[in-house]
Amino acid sequence: MRAVEPEVRLVARPDVDYAEVSEYLAEVGGESWLERIDRGDLDDAQNLAEFAGRICYRSWEPGLNPNVTRIRTDQDQYLKNILASAHGSVLEHVSFSFVLHNVSRVATHELVRHRAGTAISQESLRFVRLDDLPFWFPDWAREDPELMARASGLLTQIEEFQGWMADHFGLDEEGVKFAEKKAKTSFMRRFAPEGLATGLLWTANIRTLRHVIENRTAPGAEEEIRLIFGKVGELMVKEAPSLFGDYSVQDGAWVPGWRKV
């Protein structure tokens, strides 16, 4: 048994092709928008969200749409208005990918309920044979010596059984076909605890992220997933402050200033 801590790593973010954007804006008369925005490493997410919003109303500058006589030129104010007006569809164009590492299957079973606006690739125990049992314990459990002794003993016994099965089935012997390894490994996973730590790549758009961060850090959410999405929230405030800066954190719960975006 190996004690682990859930980790969240942001591994992919939007990448805007400004040359293509520029050609489009030259056709519709919105070149001035490109002159107003920043184009640093962390600007593409917010620029893409603003781009999507302005397409809807042709609001690159006053007069392009006869109904638009003035526009917001400050991006922070523009995006806050998007949130306040619940124009969430434009946020679905902006996606981020996270590696969730050493998170339990308890947490991933909760997470997969959020399907809209996500993509998920999780480590498969049908193919990946267990040789140890990484496991996360909350602080209150670690402070209980008898609980930890019994839990560690049980996990060690399960871990030893996994090793015994691999030897019993001869999975490491020369000539064993992969199809047999897969079949036996699939059987062996049935004896692994649901709290076993695993890993997955999880991609979600901004609209989904806002919803999941709020729901999975709420006081009634499962404690491990609250920890995970508190970390996600912290990353997103740094990545896109105009799109996540409306949250206040209250006893670990991320409460947005604007809901149902």
Side-chain angles (χ1 to χ4, degrees), residues 8 213 216-217 224-235 252 254:
V8 178
I213 289 171
R216 293 305 182 175
T217 61
E224 183 188 7
I225 208 166
R226 293 191 77 202
L227 173 63
I228 293 167
F229 277 91
K231 294 176 182 286
V232 172
E234 291 171 359
L235 286 170
W254 284 63

Side-chain angles (χ1 to χ4, degrees), residues 3-151:
V4 296
E5 288 291 326
E7 298 176 14
V8 178
R9 301 177 188 274
L10 176 60
V11 297
R13 55 176 60 86
D15 183 11
V16 175
D17 187 330
Y18 290 103
E20 291 294 329
V21 170
S22 179
E23 289 187 16
Y24 165 75
L25 292 176
E27 291 185 22
V28 300
E31 299 99 319
S32 61
W33 178 72
L34 272 181
E35 298 171 1
R36 293 196 302 269
I37 62 172
D38 295 325
R39 305 189 202 178
D41 292 339
L42 298 183
D43 292 314
D44 282 8
Q46 295 189 168
N47 289 345
L48 184 56
E50 182 179 352
F51 181 80
R54 292 195 182 279
I55 276 184
C56 293
Y57 302 102
R58 204 188 298 171
S59 59
W60 309 107
E61 56 186 67
L64 295 177
N65 173 358
N67 290 333
V68 175
T69 58
R70 60 189 180 88
I71 63 168
R72 292 177 176 85
T73 57
D74 180 86
Q75 185 176 81
D76 183 63
Q77 293 301 314
Y78 180 87
L79 293 176
K80 285 180 178 177
N81 184 63
I82 290 287
L83 297 176
S85 59
H87 193 181
S89 63
V90 303
L91 305 182
E92 295 177 9
H93 298 283
V94 188
S95 294
F96 290 83
S97 296
F98 305 85
V99 168
L100 307 184
H101 178 52
N102 284 331
V103 299
S104 75
R105 291 182 173 263
V106 172
T108 63
H109 290 340
E110 296 268 356
L111 181 57
V112 296
R113 296 175 185 174
H114 300 284
R115 297 178 297 277
T118 69
I120 301 168
S121 297
Q122 182 168 332
E123 179 182 78
S124 171
L125 294 187
R126 188 182 183 196
F127 296 92
V128 178
R129 195 198 324 161
L130 297 170
D131 55 9
D132 68 348
L133 299 180
F135 209 89
W136 172 75
F137 292 94
D139 291 341
W140 61 264
R142 296 178 188 180
E143 295 168 1
D144 187 329
E146 183 177 2
L147 172 64
M148 289 300 297
R150 288 177 177 270

Side-chain angles (χ1 to χ4, degrees), residues 233-245:
E234 291 171 359
L235 286 170
M236 293 314 304
V237 167
K238 295 177 182 177
E239 286 289 318
S242 294
L243 294 171
F244 290 87

Side-chain angles (χ1 to χ4, degrees), residues 150-214:
R150 288 177 177 270
S152 298
L154 177 60
L155 291 170
T156 298
Q157 185 177 1
I158 296 173
E159 194 172 78
E160 290 172 350
F161 183 52
Q162 291 285 332
W164 178 87
M165 283 192 288
D167 290 338
H168 182 70
F169 298 143
L171 296 184
D172 291 322
E173 294 179 5
E174 188 175 351
V176 178
K177 294 183 178 180
F178 186 78
E180 182 178 351
K181 291 183 178 182
K182 181 177 69 173
K184 294 300 195 318
T185 298
S186 181
F187 172 79
M188 292 165 63
R189 65 178 168 171
R190 296 174 182 273
F191 298 92
E194 192 172 26
L196 174 74
T198 187
L200 72 159
L201 181 67
W202 186 71
T203 299
N205 65 52
I206 294 289
R207 193 178 201 178
T208 296
L209 277 167
R210 286 183 57 88
H211 169 72
V212 179
I213 289 171
E214 177 186 2

